Amino acid sequence: MKLMVYLAGEIHSDWREEIKNQAKELELPLLFKGPMENHERSDHIGEEILGSQPNAIFKDEAASSINNLRTQIWLNKADVVIALFGEQYKQWNTAMDASAAISLGKPLILIRPESLHHALKELSNKAQIVVETPKQALQALSYVFEEN
Amino acid sequence: MKLMVYLAGEIHSDWREEIKNQAKELELPLLFKGPMENHERSDHIGEEILGSQPNAIFKDEAASSINNLRTQIWLNKADVVIALFGEQYKQWNTAMDASAAISLGKPLILIRPESLHHALKELSNKAQIVVETPKQALQALSYVFEEN
Amino acid sequence: MKLMVYLAGEIHSDWREEIKNQAKELELPLLFKGPMENHERSDHIGEEILGSQPNAIFKDEAASSINNLRTQIWLNKADVVIALFGEQYKQWNTAMDASAAISLGKPLILIRPESLHHALKELSNKAQIVVETPKQALQALSYVFEEN
Amino acid sequence: MKLMVYLAGEIHSDWREEIKNQAKELELPLLFKGPMENHERSDHIGEEILGSQPNAIFKDEAASSINNLRTQIWLNKADVVIALFGEQYKQWNTAMDASAAISLGKPLILIRPESLHHALKELSNKAQIVVETPKQALQALSYVFEEN
Amino acid sequence: MKLMVYLAGEIHSDWREEIKNQAKELELPLLFKGPMENHERSDHIGEEILGSQPNAIFKDEAASSINNLRTQIWLNKADVVIALFGEQYKQWNTAMDASAAISLGKPLILIRPESLHHALKELSNKAQIVVETPKQALQALSYVFEEN
Amino acid sequence: MKLMVYLAGEIHSDWREEIKNQAKELELPLLFKGPMENHERSDHIGEEILGSQPNAIFKDEAASSINNLRTQIWLNKADVVIALFGEQYKQWNTAMDASAAISLGKPLILIRPESLHHALKELSNKAQIVVETPKQALQALSYVFEEN
Amino acid sequence: MKLMVYLAGEIHSDWREEIKNQAKELELPLLFKGPMENHERSDHIGEEILGSQPNAIFKDEAASSINNLRTQIWLNKADVVIALFGEQYKQWNTAMDASAAISLGKPLILIRPESLHHALKELSNKAQIVVETPKQALQALSYVFEEN
Amino acid sequence: MKLMVYLAGEIHSDWREEIKNQAKELELPLLFKGPMENHERSDHIGEEILGSQPNAIFKDEAASSINNLRTQIWLNKADVVIALFGEQYKQWNTAMDASAAISLGKPLILIRPESLHHALKELSNKAQIVVETPKQALQALSYVFEEN
């Protein structure tokens, strides 16, 4: 029985590759989906599909409508959600996706550096587990599959 | 991972074929379902199965009960719904299906000519994205699958 | 025990007044809510609150976001929804609200002139009852309260 | 019919007072709830009730469990949620509450300075309306109550 | 805190009066709702509101659409449902309402003569309690309110 | 895409075979599940697994707990439910299953002889379609699959 | 705005009185409900209403059906659930009610002596907060109401 | 059509093996999942992944967060849940999982020695069936698959 994992969170490091590689090494039956990681493309997809927009706000609205389409489709199909927060950026869409997962009854694994513990304390409290590295998240998923 | 797409909307043009062909060209793992497109058959299916009805209203009620059966079954299984509005016809069943999709937590892609923007403004506001052509709808779905 | 009734539908005739007056005459414990009926105001409310928009489509989007806010709040609190369709206009927001009510498990009373029976056949099939006049809708609600 | 409004968001300015005062002036039947606004108290409530914790992370976990208790109780009872983002701070709990509101089917009014439009674009797209000032949020709620 | 009780079931005996009188004697804070008990009226309400129908089946469909409107409204508001089955009649609407209550998460008290135990065994198994008399149903509700 | 059909209803005729055979002839991708049709076995399964019971009522309770286990498992997985009522028997479990299907958002096809129209009028009104023969039910399902 | 609190848990000490008294002292707008605390009565209520049962197991089944009726009614109406575990007894019904509360989206306050931390670790992890005394539970609820 | 069975309950006997072996013998299309049965590992998994914790309570909290992750993932995917209670241990997590299954609309098969009937009476009343041995649980599942 395969599990579908949605990888929410920042797109400026290669943490998703790290997780996918370790899953492959451990031969875990996991299927991964996530947001567009090409930042340029993610910002421009609205105008690419919907055409030129009047200003930066409307350009953002166009792009986010398509990014949210992608997120909603995969989040609906996910069995578990991993959300990673990094030191930089506001990452409010990550918090939004993480909270949506919880509301949908899907367990959330939160990855964050210890330095963010205070700012993330309410979301940490709602997450099923909180870890500091992608490797720990995968250890937890590996444990889920462990045969007795 | 395949996605199931329900194609709600008018049945007087070949927009569904356009979408299916482009999905094939792009090799997207999409499965399409939709309403009966043979208009005659859709109007007569009630009497065909349930027998002659007392008048036109009851004939319509009989037909719609079976058309709605079809819609409910496929809408329940859909991952995403595309609804297309054309210039003609009332298309209230399209609006009904589109709204049902939203209420079921399924993302809605709305296709409509720019000329209809005012009449469709409330539904547009509820849709996840609004486009003008089937091609744009498929571009959005293609983006959903894009590997990073 | 009071019931809350949401009155969806066209805002170009005084059908809501007709219903409210009859409810008062019959002393039915009904509380009514509905959309903004001042058409001008409904179209301009977006720009009034959010400021000038780049073009007619964005003006519509701004207005509908606020009109939908109003609808969502009252629809969530409604015990029953009455939706009236008139001969004119597209009225897709009415179809959208009616369908949302059904999806939320709230009974729908549909009022439409007989002439619209074909165009409304799928929505009629989903409605709990279909009538032709506001008076009939209120007769049905009166029956709901009738003591044995 | 009174509406219950949950005021999510930052607790370093007096925006909630601004909203409450305007609601009083306009005589709107609104009841407001929100998080603990005394920042010190919010941070220490965990240790106050549960006793001294081993370190800062556990102190945060204790505090957030009680802050989330408060939020969950009032959010469950809210008819509409207003979330305000300011220029400073991570405000991930605000994003979490806003997203939870949407998932619960409650309309979200998002208040944010224009400068945050890019960082908040995905959440803005999910909100029912996006405004820049508390006054605009209240204008929208006033419109919800406007008699025709 | 008052509880709302929906009294589903046959309308040929005065069991509802029995329950209401005992509730009054015991001063239990119960509010009762139920179907139209005037059998004639219940059968004719469709034609009374919707006009003459083509035949007996359509007359029944018209009547049941309005009877179900009444049931759906009150069932949605009920805190507990009592369903009584008598020796006579098919009473399939009673079984339908009882099952709908269970699906909605509302506890069901089933009243039936011992003679019906076999025919009602699957529904009995789903009911929260099964009794033989209205008096027993009220004893159970009285126990619900008993102060310790 | 295969559909799972739950066949609720009486177990004294071979109507399920009729449906399964026609589905095979028409090569429809349908998978059928239903209750235990061996009446003896259905009545005794409680005592067979749970041991001898004190009296007929407890024997019935034991049997129905296991029959309902079977029904709940397959009903949860069904895409559409067909419920057939015959002239004889109370068939309250059929009404219960039919109503549960509706509450779960699964479309119901009701099969009943015309003679039962009055007794089944409320359930007919809730069903998505009402037919008189198993063949008609399958015609409707065939229509659901019909390619345009 | 009053909150309804369901007090699940053991009935051999006066912890509920302690909570109610403190709520009164603090003038908190709380309404309390809970199980029958008279142990004798709780064990015999089945036979009292349903008559003598064949053996101890059936007597228990009869009693629990009525105790669960009481619990389901009040749990459905509760805004928050407090569950207290004591040193003695299995208290599986307490665990059942606590888990049901969580599944229904209602926040759970768990009270348990420190000595039970290991046996209750999974339930503690699901609870919104875990405390050791009724007084702490009430402190938390007091914080919920604290005006800023 | 395969069914997924979650095996909740004590991990000190080999009852899961017993069930799996019998399912194999009977060639039932069942897939089994359950908690970590290695007791040591289950208690230490928190510190293994999250590192050393300040004391026994925090160690338990860390472990249970990961055990609950495992349970939530598999429970969400289960078609039916079997929960076994033994004579020893508190087993509150078993009661919690059993209750969660019921709340999620998944049928519960409860296995318990007769000696526990009183302590488990409320949970027994909520379970779909109650048996004394794993073999009986499998007999019931075998009956679910029995072809007519």
Side-chain angles (χ1 to χ4, degrees):
Chain A
M1 181 167 281
K2 267 194 171 171
L3 292 182
M4 206 286 225
V5 186
Y6 187 81
L7 300 169
E10 54 103 324
I11 58 178
H12 304 85
S13 71
D14 62 350
W15 67 277
R16 286 182 184 81
E17 282 319 296
E18 197 180 332
I19 282 188
K20 288 176 193 172
N21 287 338
Q22 288 186 19
K24 204 173 288 177
E25 273 176 43
L26 294 167
E27 300 187 348
L28 296 179
L30 296 172
L31 184 66
F32 296 99
K33 292 287 178 184
M36 166 54 59
E37 290 175 66
N38 179 329
H39 196 267
E40 277 294 293
R41 189 152 171 67
S42 162
D43 275 2
H44 295 301
I45 187 65
E47 292 201 327
E48 183 183 320
I49 295 179
L50 302 170
S52 181
Q53 301 297 313
N55 62 34
I57 295 187
F58 288 108
K59 180 185 168 182
D60 276 352
E61 170 64 15
S64 65
S65 75
I66 297 172
N67 285 321
N68 280 346
L69 172 72
R70 179 173 169 138
T71 305
Q72 189 179 1
I73 288 176
W74 297 130
L75 208 59
N76 276 352
K77 297 188 92 70
D79 297 306
V80 56
V81 173
I82 297 177
L84 180 143
F85 284 82
E87 300 274 6
Q88 286 181 301
Y89 308 104
K90 296 294 192 184
Q91 307 170 79
W92 285 319
N93 51 351
T94 307
M96 175 184 88
D97 295 345
S99 179
I102 293 166
S103 297
L104 288 168
K106 298 172 195 272
L108 174 71
I109 298 174
L110 185 64
I111 308 177
R112 56 112 188 82
E114 193 182 318
S115 57
L116 293 180
H117 78 79
H118 188 66
L120 275 169
K121 69 181 193 296
E122 274 81 20
L123 192 53
S124 296
N125 174 257
K126 289 277 186 191
Q128 186 51 47
I129 67 172
V130 182
V131 298
E132 289 179 32
T133 66
K135 190 178 168 186
Q136 287 171 309
L138 212 68
Q139 276 180 287
L141 285 180
S142 174
Y143 178 77
V144 167
F145 281 105
E146 233 169 83
E147 290 296 324
N148 295 295
Chain B
M1 181 166 282
K2 267 192 172 173
L3 292 182
M4 205 287 224
V5 186
Y6 187 81
L7 301 169
E10 55 103 324
I11 57 178
H12 304 85
S13 72
D14 62 350
W15 68 277
R16 286 181 184 81
E17 282 319 296
E18 197 180 331
I19 281 188
K20 288 177 194 173
N21 288 337
Q22 287 187 18
K24 205 173 288 178
E25 272 175 46
L26 294 167
E27 300 187 348
L28 297 179
L30 296 172
L31 183 65
F32 297 99
K33 292 287 178 183
M36 166 54 60
E37 290 175 66
N38 179 329
H39 197 267
E40 277 295 293
R41 189 151 171 68
S42 162
D43 275 2
H44 295 301
I45 187 64
E47 292 201 325
E48 184 184 318
I49 294 179
L50 301 170
S52 180
Q53 301 297 311
N55 62 36
I57 293 187
F58 288 108
K59 180 184 167 183
D60 275 352
E61 169 65 16
S64 65
S65 76
I66 297 172
N67 286 321
N68 280 345
L69 173 72
R70 179 172 169 139
T71 305
Q72 188 179 1
I73 288 175
W74 297 130
L75 209 58
N76 276 352
K77 296 189 94 68
D79 296 306
V80 57
V81 173
I82 298 177
L84 179 144
F85 284 82
E87 301 274 6
Q88 287 180 300
Y89 309 105
K90 295 295 191 184
Q91 307 171 79
W92 286 318
N93 51 352
T94 307
M96 176 183 89
D97 294 345
S99 179
I102 294 165
S103 298
L104 289 168
K106 298 170 195 272
L108 174 71
I109 300 173
L110 185 64
I111 310 175
R112 57 113 188 80
E114 194 183 319
S115 57
L116 293 180
H117 78 79
H118 189 65
L120 274 169
K121 71 181 190 296
E122 274 81 19
L123 192 52
S124 297
N125 174 257
K126 289 277 186 191
Q128 186 51 48
I129 66 171
V130 182
V131 298
E132 290 180 31
T133 65
K135 189 178 168 186
Q136 287 171 308
L138 212 67
Q139 276 181 287
L141 285 179
S142 174
Y143 178 77
V144 167
F145 282 105
E146 232 167 84
E147 289 296 325
N148 295 294
Chain C
M1 179 167 282
K2 267 194 172 170
L3 293 182
M4 205 286 223
V5 186
Y6 187 80
L7 300 169
E10 55 103 325
I11 57 178
H12 304 86
S13 72
D14 62 351
W15 68 276
R16 286 182 185 79
E17 282 318 296
E18 198 180 330
I19 282 187
K20 288 176 192 171
N21 287 339
Q22 288 187 18
K24 203 173 288 178
E25 273 176 43
L26 294 167
E27 300 186 348
L28 296 180
L30 296 172
L31 183 66
F32 296 99
K33 291 288 178 184
M36 167 54 60
E37 290 174 66
N38 179 329
H39 196 267
E40 277 296 292
R41 189 152 172 65
S42 161
D43 275 2
H44 295 301
I45 187 65
E47 292 200 327
E48 183 184 319
I49 295 179
L50 302 170
S52 180
Q53 301 297 313
N55 62 33
I57 294 187
F58 288 108
K59 180 183 169 184
D60 275 353
E61 169 62 17
S64 65
S65 76
I66 297 172
N67 286 321
N68 280 346
L69 173 72
R70 179 172 170 140
T71 305
Q72 189 180 0
I73 288 175
W74 297 130
L75 209 58
N76 275 353
K77 296 189 92 68
D79 297 305
V80 56
V81 173
I82 298 177
L84 179 143
F85 284 83
E87 300 274 5
Q88 287 181 299
Y89 309 104
K90 295 294 191 185
Q91 306 170 82
W92 284 319
N93 52 350
T94 308
M96 176 184 87
D97 295 345
S99 179
I102 293 165
S103 297
L104 288 168
K106 298 172 193 272
L108 174 70
I109 299 174
L110 185 64
I111 310 177
R112 56 111 188 82
E114 194 183 318
S115 57
L116 293 180
H117 77 79
H118 189 67
L120 274 169
K121 68 181 193 295
E122 273 81 20
L123 192 53
S124 297
N125 174 256
K126 288 278 185 191
Q128 186 51 47
I129 67 171
V130 181
V131 298
E132 290 179 31
T133 66
K135 188 177 169 187
Q136 287 172 308
L138 211 68
Q139 276 180 287
L141 284 180
S142 174
Y143 178 78
V144 167
F145 281 104
E146 235 170 80
E147 289 295 325
N148 295 293
Chain D
M1 179 165 283
K2 266 193 172 172
L3 292 183
M4 206 287 225
V5 186
Y6 187 81
L7 300 169
E10 55 102 327
I11 57 179
H12 304 86
S13 72
D14 63 349
W15 68 276
R16 286 182 184 80
E17 283 318 297
E18 198 180 331
I19 282 188
K20 289 176 192 171
N21 287 339
Q22 288 187 18
K24 204 173 288 176
E25 273 176 44
L26 294 167
E27 300 186 349
L28 296 180
L30 295 173
L31 183 65
F32 296 99
K33 291 287 178 183
M36 166 56 60
E37 290 175 67
N38 179 328
H39 196 267
E40 278 294 294
R41 189 152 170 66
S42 162
D43 275 2
H44 294 301
I45 187 64
E47 292 201 326
E48 183 184 319
I49 294 179
L50 301 170
S52 180
Q53 301 297 313
N55 63 34
I57 294 187
F58 288 108
K59 180 184 169 183
D60 275 353
E61 169 64 16
S64 65
S65 75
I66 297 172
N67 286 322
N68 280 346
L69 173 72
R70 179 172 169 141
T71 306
Q72 189 179 0
I73 288 175
W74 297 130
L75 209 57
N76 276 352
K77 296 189 94 68
D79 296 307
V80 57
V81 173
I82 297 177
L84 180 142
F85 284 82
E87 299 274 7
Q88 287 181 301
Y89 309 104
K90 296 295 192 183
Q91 308 171 81
W92 285 319
N93 52 351
T94 308
M96 175 183 89
D97 294 345
S99 179
I102 294 166
S103 297
L104 289 168
K106 298 171 195 272
L108 174 71
I109 298 174
L110 186 64
I111 310 176
R112 56 114 188 80
E114 193 183 319
S115 56
L116 293 180
H117 78 79
H118 189 65
L120 275 169
K121 69 182 192 297
E122 274 81 20
L123 192 53
S124 297
N125 173 257
K126 288 278 185 191
Q128 186 51 46
I129 67 172
V130 182
V131 298
E132 289 180 32
T133 66
K135 189 178 168 187
Q136 288 172 308
L138 212 68
Q139 276 181 286
L141 285 180
S142 174
Y143 179 77
V144 166
F145 282 105
E146 233 168 82
E147 290 295 324
N148 294 294
Chain E
M1 180 165 283
K2 266 193 171 172
L3 293 183
M4 205 287 223
V5 186
Y6 187 81
L7 301 168
E10 56 103 325
I11 58 177
H12 304 85
S13 72
D14 63 349
W15 69 275
R16 285 182 184 79
E17 282 318 295
E18 197 180 330
I19 281 187
K20 288 176 193 172
N21 286 338
Q22 289 186 17
K24 203 173 288 178
E25 273 177 42
L26 294 167
E27 300 186 348
L28 297 180
L30 296 172
L31 183 65
F32 297 99
K33 290 288 177 184
M36 167 54 60
E37 290 175 66
N38 179 329
H39 196 268
E40 278 294 293
R41 189 153 170 65
S42 161
D43 276 1
H44 295 301
I45 187 64
E47 292 200 327
E48 183 183 318
I49 294 179
L50 301 170
S52 180
Q53 301 297 312
N55 62 35
I57 294 186
F58 287 108
K59 180 185 169 183
D60 275 353
E61 170 62 17
S64 64
S65 75
I66 298 172
N67 286 321
N68 280 345
L69 172 71
R70 178 171 170 141
T71 305
Q72 188 180 1
I73 288 175
W74 296 130
L75 210 57
N76 275 352
K77 295 190 93 68
D79 297 305
V80 57
V81 173
I82 297 178
L84 180 144
F85 283 82
E87 300 274 5
Q88 287 180 301
Y89 308 103
K90 294 296 191 183
Q91 306 170 82
W92 284 319
N93 52 351
T94 308
M96 175 183 90
D97 294 345
S99 179
I102 294 165
S103 297
L104 288 168
K106 298 170 192 273
L108 174 71
I109 299 175
L110 185 64
I111 309 176
R112 57 111 187 83
E114 194 184 317
S115 57
L116 292 181
H117 77 78
H118 189 65
L120 274 169
K121 70 181 191 295
E122 273 80 20
L123 192 53
S124 297
N125 173 258
K126 289 277 186 190
Q128 185 51 46
I129 67 170
V130 181
V131 298
E132 290 180 31
T133 65
K135 189 178 168 185
Q136 287 172 309
L138 212 69
Q139 276 180 286
L141 284 180
S142 174
Y143 178 77
V144 168
F145 282 105
E146 235 169 79
E147 289 296 324
N148 295 292
Chain F
M1 181 166 281
K2 266 192 171 172
L3 292 182
M4 206 287 224
V5 186
Y6 187 80
L7 301 168
E10 56 104 324
I11 58 178
H12 304 85
S13 72
D14 63 349
W15 68 277
R16 285 182 184 81
E17 283 318 296
E18 198 179 331
I19 281 187
K20 288 177 195 173
N21 287 337
Q22 288 186 18
K24 204 172 290 178
E25 274 176 44
L26 294 168
E27 300 187 348
L28 297 179
L30 296 172
L31 182 66
F32 296 99
K33 290 288 177 184
M36 167 54 59
E37 290 175 66
N38 178 329
H39 196 266
E40 278 294 292
R41 189 151 171 67
S42 162
D43 275 2
H44 295 301
I45 187 64
E47 292 201 325
E48 184 184 318
I49 294 179
L50 301 170
S52 181
Q53 300 296 312
N55 62 35
I57 293 187
F58 287 108
K59 180 185 168 182
D60 276 353
E61 170 63 16
S64 65
S65 76
I66 297 172
N67 286 321
N68 280 345
L69 172 72
R70 179 172 169 140
T71 305
Q72 188 179 0
I73 288 175
W74 297 130
L75 209 57
N76 275 352
K77 296 189 93 68
D79 296 305
V80 57
V81 173
I82 298 178
L84 179 144
F85 284 82
E87 300 275 6
Q88 287 181 302
Y89 308 104
K90 296 294 192 183
Q91 307 171 80
W92 285 319
N93 51 352
T94 307
M96 176 183 89
D97 295 344
S99 179
I102 294 165
S103 297
L104 289 168
K106 298 171 194 272
L108 174 70
I109 300 174
L110 185 63
I111 310 177
R112 57 111 188 82
E114 193 183 318
S115 56
L116 293 180
H117 77 78
H118 189 66
L120 274 169
K121 69 182 192 294
E122 273 81 20
L123 191 53
S124 296
N125 174 257
K126 288 278 186 189
Q128 186 50 47
I129 66 170
V130 182
V131 298
E132 290 180 30
T133 66
K135 191 179 166 183
Q136 287 172 309
L138 212 68
Q139 277 180 286
L141 285 180
S142 174
Y143 178 77
V144 167
F145 282 105
E146 233 169 82
E147 289 296 325
N148 295 294
Chain G
M1 180 166 283
K2 266 192 172 173
L3 292 183
M4 205 288 224
V5 186
Y6 187 82
L7 300 169
E10 55 102 328
I11 58 178
H12 303 85
S13 72
D14 61 350
W15 67 277
R16 286 181 183 82
E17 283 318 297
E18 199 180 330
I19 281 188
K20 288 177 194 172
N21 287 338
Q22 288 187 18
K24 204 173 289 178
E25 273 175 44
L26 295 167
E27 300 187 347
L28 297 179
L30 296 173
L31 183 66
F32 296 99
K33 291 288 177 183
M36 166 55 60
E37 290 175 66
N38 179 329
H39 197 267
E40 277 295 292
R41 190 153 170 64
S42 162
D43 275 2
H44 295 301
I45 187 65
E47 293 201 326
E48 184 183 318
I49 294 179
L50 301 170
S52 181
Q53 300 297 312
N55 62 35
I57 295 187
F58 288 108
K59 179 183 168 181
D60 276 353
E61 169 64 17
S64 65
S65 75
I66 297 172
N67 286 321
N68 280 345
L69 173 71
R70 179 171 169 141
T71 306
Q72 189 179 359
I73 288 175
W74 297 129
L75 210 57
N76 275 352
K77 296 189 93 69
D79 296 306
V80 56
V81 173
I82 298 178
L84 179 144
F85 283 82
E87 300 274 6
Q88 287 181 301
Y89 308 104
K90 295 295 192 184
Q91 307 171 81
W92 285 319
N93 51 352
T94 307
M96 176 182 88
D97 294 345
S99 178
I102 294 165
S103 298
L104 288 168
K106 297 169 193 275
L108 174 71
I109 299 174
L110 185 64
I111 310 176
R112 57 112 187 83
E114 194 183 317
S115 57
L116 292 181
H117 78 79
H118 189 66
L120 275 170
K121 70 180 190 297
E122 273 82 20
L123 192 52
S124 297
N125 174 256
K126 289 277 186 191
Q128 186 51 48
I129 66 171
V130 181
V131 298
E132 291 180 30
T133 65
K135 189 178 167 185
Q136 288 171 308
L138 211 68
Q139 277 181 287
L141 284 179
S142 174
Y143 178 77
V144 167
F145 282 105
E146 233 168 83
E147 289 295 326
N148 295 294
Chain H
M1 181 167 282
K2 268 194 170 171
L3 293 182
M4 206 287 225
V5 186
Y6 187 81
L7 301 169
E10 56 104 324
I11 57 177
H12 305 84
S13 72
D14 62 350
W15 68 277
R16 286 182 184 81
E17 282 318 296
E18 198 180 331
I19 282 188
K20 288 176 194 172
N21 287 338
Q22 288 186 19
K24 204 173 289 179
E25 272 176 44
L26 293 168
E27 300 186 349
L28 297 179
L30 296 172
L31 184 66
F32 296 99
K33 291 287 178 184
M36 166 54 60
E37 291 175 66
N38 179 329
H39 196 268
E40 277 295 292
R41 189 154 170 66
S42 162
D43 275 3
H44 295 300
I45 187 65
E47 292 200 327
E48 184 184 318
I49 295 179
L50 302 170
S52 181
Q53 301 297 312
N55 63 33
I57 294 187
F58 288 108
K59 180 185 169 183
D60 275 353
E61 169 63 16
S64 65
S65 76
I66 297 172
N67 286 321
N68 280 346
L69 172 72
R70 178 172 170 140
T71 305
Q72 189 179 0
I73 288 175
W74 296 130
L75 209 58
N76 275 352
K77 295 189 92 70
D79 296 306
V80 56
V81 173
I82 298 178
L84 180 143
F85 284 82
E87 300 274 7
Q88 287 181 302
Y89 309 104
K90 296 294 192 185
Q91 306 171 80
W92 284 319
N93 51 351
T94 308
M96 176 183 88
D97 295 344
S99 179
I102 294 165
S103 297
L104 288 168
K106 297 172 194 273
L108 174 71
I109 299 174
L110 185 64
I111 310 177
R112 58 111 188 81
E114 194 183 317
S115 57
L116 293 180
H117 78 79
H118 188 66
L120 275 169
K121 68 182 193 295
E122 273 82 18
L123 192 53
S124 296
N125 173 257
K126 289 277 186 191
Q128 186 50 47
I129 66 170
V130 182
V131 298
E132 291 180 31
T133 65
K135 190 178 167 185
Q136 287 172 308
L138 212 67
Q139 277 181 285
L141 284 180
S142 174
Y143 178 77
V144 167
F145 282 105
E146 234 169 81
E147 289 296 323
N148 295 294

